[in-house]
């Protein structure tokens, strides 16, 4: 009989292989699909013999490819951020959307657009980081008491309260500023549409640093999983690990939100699906959740272009719509309660 560790490794390998295959297949299909379908032969032609005077070639190279690339970056960032948040808070509901991080980043971007006239990602990404960090700190303070780590319920309630208040403030600013509303409304719904390679290149360094920092925390996160007292006994600083994880989450979620707007479910869903297969060993969990986040977001974005063609669902709407049934299944799963 296989040992539990070998069984988890086998399940992880199967999930990684299936996820990588699904990501590759969806990316290839996604390049050709959309309001202007492009035959596979024309897609290959655009990739190997690009002609800037050919309309289909322009669509493939300047629109579809950047969209797929950004979907991979944003999805990986959200998947990793959601997993980190669940690990350090030991809260199965932790997610950049549910705990107010996306709302804080959105509000800061609204401020940048409405009062400073900043409308490009390279300009407001710094505001996104500040907003994400401020919201995360506020939620942690509300969910904690007397220096103790907050319980999952208190942190979830704090995140919900912060999200509602920040959401109301965001709407108040937008409703009083028509120009900001028009600039913000497509970004706010969460979309990969209209983003070029410049957006991907702007956020990629921040996501890369967040990924490296996250992977450097694998051993401390494994120790925290055993409890703070055990972690301290093993020579791990639980506070240091949580601070490092918080910095990584701000980088990952802040960059993802600045690039594509607030997109929910991806961080929550990919973390739970990955943990279902890998268990709580972060050496397997973090890379798997990262790959799964990229796969789920690219699939959701592609389905959003297919199901209502020739129109399309915005990525954030598609992720929530198609992820809903999966989340219901997760809620009914014992694995959620066992986190």
């Amino acid at each position: 009989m296989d040992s539990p560790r070998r069984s988890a490794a086998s399940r992880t390998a199967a999930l990684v292989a299936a996820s990588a295959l699904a990501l590759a297949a969806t990316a290839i299909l996604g390049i050709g699909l959309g309001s202007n379908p492009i035959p596979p032969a024309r897609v290959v032609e655009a990739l190997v013999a690009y002609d800037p005077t050919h309309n289909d070639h322009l669509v493939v190279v300047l629109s579809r490819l950047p969209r797929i690339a950004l979907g991979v970056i944003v999805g990986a960032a959200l998947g990793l951020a959601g997993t980190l948040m669940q690990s350090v808070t030991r809260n199965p509901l932790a997610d950049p959307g549910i705990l107010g991080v996306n709302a804080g980043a959105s509000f800061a971007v609204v401020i940048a657009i409405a009062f400073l006239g900043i409308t490009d990602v390279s300009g407001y990404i710094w505001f996104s980081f500040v907003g994400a960090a401020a919201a995360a700190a506020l939620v942690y303070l509300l969910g904690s008491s007397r220096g103790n780590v907050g319980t999952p319920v208190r942190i979830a309630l704090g995140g919900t309260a912060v999200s509602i208040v920040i959401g109301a403030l965001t709407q108040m600013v937008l409703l009083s500023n028509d120009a900001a509303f028009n600039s913000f409304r497509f970004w706010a719904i969460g979309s990969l549409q209209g983003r070029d390679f410049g957006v991907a290149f702007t956020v990629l360094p921040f996501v890369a640093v967040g990924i490296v920092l996250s992977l450097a925390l694998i051993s401390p996160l494994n120790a925290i999983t055993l409890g703070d007292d055990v972690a301290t006994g093993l020579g791990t600083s639980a506070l240091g690990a949580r601070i490092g994880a918080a910095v990584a989450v701000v980088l990952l979620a802040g960059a993802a939100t600045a690039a594509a707007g607030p997109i929910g479910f991806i961080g929550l869903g990919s973390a739970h699906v990955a943990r279902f297969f890998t268990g709580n060993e972060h050496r397997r969990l973090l890379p798997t959740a990262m790959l799964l986040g990229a796969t789920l977001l690219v699939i959701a974005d592609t389905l959003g272009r297919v199901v209502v063609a020739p129109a399309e669902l915005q990525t954030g709407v598609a992720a929530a719509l198609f992820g809903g049934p999966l989340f219901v299944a997760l809620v009914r799963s014992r694995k959620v309660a066992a986190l």
Side-chain angles (χ1 to χ4, degrees):
M1 180 179 292
D2 291 343
S3 67
R5 178 175 297 181
R6 181 176 298 177
S7 178
S10 300
R11 292 197 305 269
T12 302
L15 176 62
V16 168
S19 183
L21 184 63
L23 176 59
T26 307
I28 293 171
L29 290 172
I31 294 175
L33 296 175
S35 57
N36 174 31
I38 298 175
R42 189 67 54 76
V43 171
V44 174
E45 181 183 287
L47 296 177
V48 301
Y50 174 62
D51 179 1
T53 65
H54 197 298
N55 286 337
D56 285 348
H57 288 198
L58 290 173
V59 171
V60 169
V61 174
L62 300 183
S63 177
R64 302 278 171 80
L65 278 178
R67 186 169 184 160
I68 296 294
L70 189 61
V72 171
I73 295 170
V74 170
L78 292 176
L80 191 53
T83 307
L84 285 174
M85 295 183 77
Q86 291 182 12
S87 294
V88 296
T89 63
R90 304 184 71 177
N91 184 344
L93 291 177
D95 166 83
I98 292 176
L99 295 193
V101 176
N102 287 351
S106 300
F107 181 63
V109 170
V110 168
I111 296 297
I113 293 174
F115 298 108
L116 302 177
I118 299 172
T119 57
D120 62 282
V121 174
S122 61
Y124 58 60
I125 189 171
W126 302 105
F127 290 86
S128 180
F129 288 144
V130 172
L138 182 58
V139 169
Y140 184 79
L141 290 175
L142 289 176
S144 304
S145 61
R146 298 178 182 177
N148 296 321
V149 177
T151 64
V153 172
R154 288 176 63 91
I155 290 179
L157 289 174
T160 301
V162 168
S163 295
I164 292 173
V165 172
I166 292 179
L169 292 173
T170 302
Q171 293 301 318
M172 183 180 71
V173 173
L174 290 175
L175 291 176
S176 63
N177 189 318
D178 292 339
F181 178 77
N182 289 329
S183 298
F184 184 78
R185 56 182 177 144
F186 289 110
W187 179 87
I189 203 169
S191 177
L192 301 176
Q193 185 180 15
R195 270 67 165 179
D196 57 20
F197 275 122
V199 175
F201 290 141
T202 298
V203 300
L204 183 57
F206 300 100
V207 173
V209 173
I211 291 173
V212 171
L213 180 56
S214 302
L215 297 180
L217 293 171
I218 284 176
S219 294
L221 290 175
N222 282 337
I224 288 178
T225 302
L226 302 175
D228 285 9
D229 292 339
V230 175
T232 302
L234 294 173
T236 297
S237 169
L239 178 61
R242 288 193 169 89
I243 291 174
V247 173
V249 167
V250 168
L251 287 171
L252 294 166
T257 304
I263 295 177
F265 174 73
I266 298 298
L268 182 70
S270 58
H272 279 292
V273 173
R275 199 183 301 273
F276 184 87
F277 284 86
T278 68
N280 290 322
E281 164 55 54
H282 289 82
R283 202 175 307 280
R284 293 190 294 267
L285 176 60
L286 294 186
T288 304
M290 189 166 54
L291 174 61
L292 204 56
T295 303
L296 291 177
L297 187 58
V298 172
I299 289 176
D301 183 56
T302 303
L303 288 175
R305 282 184 274 157
V306 173
V307 295
V308 295
E312 67 174 71
L313 289 174
Q314 299 297 324
T315 312
V317 176
L321 186 62
F322 302 129
L326 177 60
F327 182 71
V328 171
L330 287 170
V331 170
R332 296 172 60 85
S333 168
R334 292 181 179 179
K335 285 288 182 181
V336 174
L339 179 67

